[in-house]
């Protein structure tokens, strides 16, 4: 798929400037110039460039889901095990690490499902999605202090019921499920 | 579904503090206390509380998609018409407004598909998804200077081909498609 018509409309980023930073979360200012010559500014968040999310499936076909307290939202959300890709780490290494740390599950194999930018209008972060086949609990999880959740195995029907309620959802769940569906894995 | 076991583990947010703000994008510090008495800090982004995304379908069953330049990512992404819900506006009002402003399309009816938090670990923003049935182009779009995209009608098969490439995707696309699928609309 070519984007020939849009290529000629793209601006140049002449400068990016750090406006504020706290604990790895940044606000940046981008200074852009249209091909027409007109200049404008754009404000964006910046944090870890990459994250992973894991849709883990047990040998019985159940999915390993978290009910996770996300303090920015003040809610407990239906979510997936996952987190940021560490410096020097590859997404395919982060996926089993995050699954194990958060849930105590290990899997027979990890299948790359796809990747997308969950909130590209204000954050460049890209999330890599993996299906973990043959997932089994092998030990207790070792969450960090700020990671507060309950892990449980759910059928796809239970997940759908919850999605149809349209309350307290992490959007990574639906993206992972759609990627799984179209890959037919 | 009850979350009785997690309720007893939830911390209290004792204080939230603005660390920095630029053009409506904020970094906030949350001061939390676990039921055990242990205190900790959490840093989060904050911006518009609500956004909308519109999956618009023509009478011929084609989807109105954007190839949109998202300067935070430095990429042109496959995305949906959508944007922030304005102060005093309802999500169901923002959906037709954003569709029309960005694409020049109007629709016969809007069906609420669901809502989710696209990036709840660092941003409380919640996105409301709508299916716009009977969408037709009635005029030229009126995008803002920073909104750079090409709109085109795509079959579901073309969208799937693009998703399977796993390149340059806005995660709102997959979430909208999964909600549409399970609602069977």
């Amino acid at each position: 798929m070519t984007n020939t018509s849009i290529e000629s409309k793209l601006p140049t980023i002449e400068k990016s400037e750090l406006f504020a930073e706290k604990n790895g979360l940044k606000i940046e200012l981008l200074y852009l110039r249209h091909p027409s010559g007109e200049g404008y500014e754009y404000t964006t968040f910046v944090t870890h460039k990459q994250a992973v999310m894991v849709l883990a499936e047990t040998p019985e076909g159940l999915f390993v889901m978290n009910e996770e307290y996300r303090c920015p939202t003040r809610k407990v959300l239906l979510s997936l095990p996952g987190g940021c890709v560490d410096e020097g780490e590859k997404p395919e290494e982060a996926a089993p690490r995050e699954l194990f740390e958060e849930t105590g599950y290990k899997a027979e194999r990890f299948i790359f499902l796809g990747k997308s930018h969950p909130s590209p209008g204000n954050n460049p972060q890209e999330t890599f999605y993996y299906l973990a086949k043959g997932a089994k609990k092998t030990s207790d999880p070792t969450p960090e202090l700020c990671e507060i959740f309950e892990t449980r195995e759910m059928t796809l029907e239970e997940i759908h019921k919850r999605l149809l309620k349209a309350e307290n959802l992490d959007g990574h769940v639906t993206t992972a499920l759609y990627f799984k569906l179209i890959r037919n894995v």
Side-chain angles (χ1 to χ4, degrees), chain A residues 46-58:
Chain A
V46 177
T47 179
H48 285 86
K49 290 287 176 201
Q50 297 180 329
V52 292
M53 286 286 157
V54 181
L55 183 64
E57 196 177 5
T58 70

Side-chain angles (χ1 to χ4, degrees), chain A residues 155-183:
Chain A
T155 65
L156 188 60
E157 292 65 33
E158 285 173 324
I159 295 171
H160 285 180
K161 268 191 198 168
R162 178 65 183 277
L163 295 178
L164 289 169
K165 277 189 173 176
E167 289 293 340
N168 299 0
L169 302 175
D170 179 333
H172 294 104
V173 174
T174 35
T175 291
L177 288 170
Y178 203 73
F179 276 134
K180 178 180 187 297
L181 181 85
I182 63 170
R183 285 208 187 268

Side-chain angles (χ1 to χ4, degrees), chain A residues 104-118:
Chain A
Y105 280 69
K106 289 194 172 183
E108 285 166 16
R109 64 191 179 110
F110 286 77
I111 300 168
F112 174 66
L113 290 175
K115 59 180 174 159
S116 62
H117 297 272

Side-chain angles (χ1 to χ4, degrees), chain A residues 1-2 6 27 38 45 50 66 77 106 110-111 125 129-130 139 141 151 154 166:
Chain A
M1 185 173 301
T2 54
I6 200 170
I27 295 176
E38 196 168 8
F45 298 130
Q50 297 180 329
N66 283 340
L77 305 181
K106 289 194 172 183
F110 286 77
I111 300 168
Q125 190 171 69
Y129 294 87
Y130 292 87
S139 65
T151 299
M154 294 173 74

